[in-house]
Amino acid sequence: MVVAQLGTTTEDAYLILQARAFADSRPMRDIATDVIERRLRFTDPPDFLREAP
Amino acid sequence: VNNSVRSEQLFEAFATFADTLVTGYDVLDLLQKLVERCRELLNVDSAGILLVNDDGTLELVASTSEESAFVEVIQLDANAGPSLDAFRSQKVVSVPNVAAAPEQWAAFTTAAAFQGINCVYVMPLRLREVTIGTLSLMRHEPGELRPYDIKAAKALADVATIGILQERRLRDAESVREQLQEALSSRIVIEQAKGVVAETAQVSMDTAFSLIRNHARTQQQSLRAVAGQLISGDLRL
């Protein structure tokens, strides 16, 4: 699903999931579950990259 | 479905599999068709196949639904459950009532109950002394499987075993495990493709798999080939 969301390769998608798990201090399995159950998408920029209103 | 119609369908299935074995095939496609026939022809709600990998541990290679896949994966994760027992003991393990399953299978029992599966029947895929995996049949309704279903399932399991071992012989590979590993890595590619389709078409994983399977069927391509095109973006469903 991350492959389709970001138009990337499976290898990069794996790294992105791994990075997110590391950043959130959560198991990769949890991150993966969130993606599959559509609670998490990798299309939006993270909060800290958004410009303040 | 009455018995004579079922016998005829079963006969059709075996004829098709025999033909497949003679004319050439992709192991993963064969196993996927096998579990689907099990679900259609036997009095069960889902079926799945586990195969042993390079390290000697079991992995899921084919299943008819996400529900049964989940129950299998939880067992592998907990390293306990009827599928593992059947593999290790090389004997059939019947769980006619999941609620009454042994305590050491707690993870399995919880997962099965969560998916509404109340009856599980697992047979080892084995040829003489070699056991290469398991075939699981799952049902919502508790109770023993009918002798007819058990007999038919045993024959289908034998077809699966022969199919896997025969492919190895035909390709003159170094080991059975190498061939199994290939089927297992195909499965990973297919899971990835399911994710791509689930996202691009905004459908469930089960529907995504159906779309992939139908495309493979109508285009007469292997599941793995179609999955590869989906992941690389060369194909969109």
Side-chain angles (χ1 to χ4, degrees):
Chain A
M1 289 176 85
V2 180
V3 168
Q5 285 168 10
L6 297 175
T8 179
T9 63
T10 49
E11 288 82 7
D12 282 356
Y14 183 83
L15 289 174
I16 285 160
L17 288 169
Q18 204 169 36
R20 181 58 176 254
F22 180 76
D24 290 358
S25 298
R26 293 172 64 207
M28 269 187 84
R29 197 191 176 113
D30 289 3
I31 303 292
T33 307
D34 281 355
V35 173
I36 289 167
E37 292 181 356
R38 301 179 204 272
R39 287 190 294 265
L40 174 63
R41 288 180 64 84
F42 282 95
T43 45
D44 307 324
D47 291 339
F48 65 87
L49 284 181
R50 282 203 192 115
E51 281 181 41
Chain B
V1 188
N2 74 43
N3 271 349
S4 76
V5 172
R6 267 162 43 103
S7 297
E8 205 169 296
Q9 289 172 334
L10 203 56
F11 171 79
E12 277 301 323
F14 280 113
T16 308
F17 287 129
D19 187 50
T20 309
L21 292 175
V22 172
T23 53
Y25 55 99
D26 177 288
V27 168
L28 194 81
D29 284 4
L30 175 75
L31 298 182
Q32 185 62 39
K33 283 187 189 120
L34 261 165
V35 291
E36 279 163 21
R37 289 301 160 275
C38 281
R39 181 176 53 79
E40 291 161 10
L41 302 177
L42 312 179
N43 190 25
V44 298
D45 296 303
S46 50
I49 290 179
L50 300 179
L51 284 186
V52 69
N53 68 10
D54 276 346
D55 311 324
T57 50
L58 289 169
E59 284 185 45
L60 182 71
V61 73
S63 69
T64 56
S65 69
E66 292 294 319
E67 286 77 12
S68 61
F70 178 75
V71 174
E72 298 280 30
V73 169
I74 292 294
Q75 290 184 65
L76 297 176
D77 224 43
N79 197 24
S83 294
L84 284 103
D85 257 31
F87 178 70
R88 289 176 187 143
S89 68
Q90 310 196 343
K91 291 198 176 83
V92 164
V93 175
S94 177
V95 188
N97 184 4
V98 166
E103 216 169 281
Q104 64 268 30
W105 292 351
F108 155 76
T109 311
T110 312
F114 179 72
Q115 300 290 1
I117 289 165
N118 292 301
C119 163
V120 176
Y121 187 92
V122 190
M123 55 187 75
L125 297 179
R126 90 185 255 237
L127 186 68
R128 298 183 190 101
E129 74 281 9
V130 194
T131 301
I132 56 170
T134 58
L135 168 68
S136 303
L137 304 173
M138 301 185 190
R139 210 171 55 188
H140 298 142
E141 195 189 314
E144 298 283 354
L145 256 60
R146 291 180 303 188
Y148 178 95
D149 289 328
I150 290 174
K151 216 166 155 185
K154 172 76 171 69
L156 288 164
D158 288 344
V159 170
T161 311
I162 294 165
I164 294 159
L165 297 176
Q166 174 68 0
E167 193 213 30
R168 164 234 176 186
R169 205 182 67 78
L170 288 175
R171 288 204 194 176
D172 200 27
E174 288 181 357
S175 70
V176 184
R177 298 211 159 155
E178 218 168 85
Q179 290 304 312
L180 300 187
Q181 197 59 43
E182 204 174 299
L184 291 169
S185 44
S186 294
R187 180 73 200 185
I188 294 171
V189 175
I190 289 160
E191 290 298 330
Q192 289 171 341
K194 274 163 69 177
V196 170
V197 175
E199 178 63 26
T200 50
Q202 288 296 309
V203 293
S204 72
M205 288 290 178
D206 274 332
T207 308
F209 185 60
S210 299
L211 290 171
I212 296 170
R213 202 181 45 202
N214 291 342
H215 184 82
R217 203 170 283 165
T218 52
Q219 299 296 312
Q220 305 220 333
Q221 288 181 312
S222 72
L223 281 171
R224 189 186 180 131
V226 173
Q229 293 158 27
L230 286 163
I231 293 164
S232 64
D234 293 334
L235 173 69
R236 230 185 121 107
L237 291 179

